[in-house]
Amino acid sequence: TDLGRRFAERKRCADPECSMLMCRGKARQDFKGPDCRFVNFKKGEAVYVYYKLIGKSIELWAGSVGSDFGYFPKDLLEINHNYSNEELELPTDVSRLCYF
């Protein structure tokens, strides 16, 4: 297993494919990720969460802002709507690679 490509071994999702929305929130502040695996957003933008990585010190969630999808630190999100109370724990796949 090459953890250099993954941020965590496990993730929590609302369904086995991690395709259902878990929750929606509002960005607490601007965020610009270090590379293309991250999603950038501005304070106040709506962020939709599809899964939550678990098992690492910095908790990253994965979600979308507009048509962009990527990771972001969960502490930057103020949750204002839960779509699902169901949380399944699943292994993570190798993270998407950056192509330039």
Side-chain angles (χ1 to χ4, degrees):
T1 307
D2 178 17
L3 268 182
R5 293 191 179 182
R6 287 197 281 182
F7 293 115
E9 283 284 332
R10 316 279 301 163
K11 62 186 174 183
R12 288 201 177 103
C13 302
D15 67 299
E17 287 77 43
C18 298
S19 61
M20 284 171 50
L21 277 172
M22 295 184 80
C23 59
R24 179 186 73 221
K26 194 169 72 172
R28 294 180 192 271
Q29 64 187 67
D30 292 1
F31 173 69
K32 181 137 175 57
D35 63 42
C36 76
R37 294 174 298 178
F38 291 81
V39 65
N40 300 326
F41 48 74
K42 300 256 187 280
K43 182 178 178 175
E45 277 192 298
V47 182
Y48 294 86
V49 179
Y50 286 91
Y51 60 91
K52 305 169 179 181
L53 297 183
I54 48 178
K56 289 282 186 193
S57 53
I58 298 173
E59 286 205 48
L60 292 174
W61 287 0
S64 63
V65 176
S67 60
D68 296 330
F69 184 89
Y71 296 107
F72 61 92
K74 73 165 194 158
D75 297 344
L76 299 184
L77 194 63
E78 182 183 310
I79 293 173
N80 49 30
H81 186 80
N82 281 307
Y83 291 101
S84 171
N85 295 323
E86 195 90 4
E87 287 201 4
L88 308 173
E89 195 169 307
L90 302 162
T92 53
D93 310 317
V94 173
S95 292
R96 301 173 306 142
L97 300 175
C98 297
Y99 297 102
F100 298 102

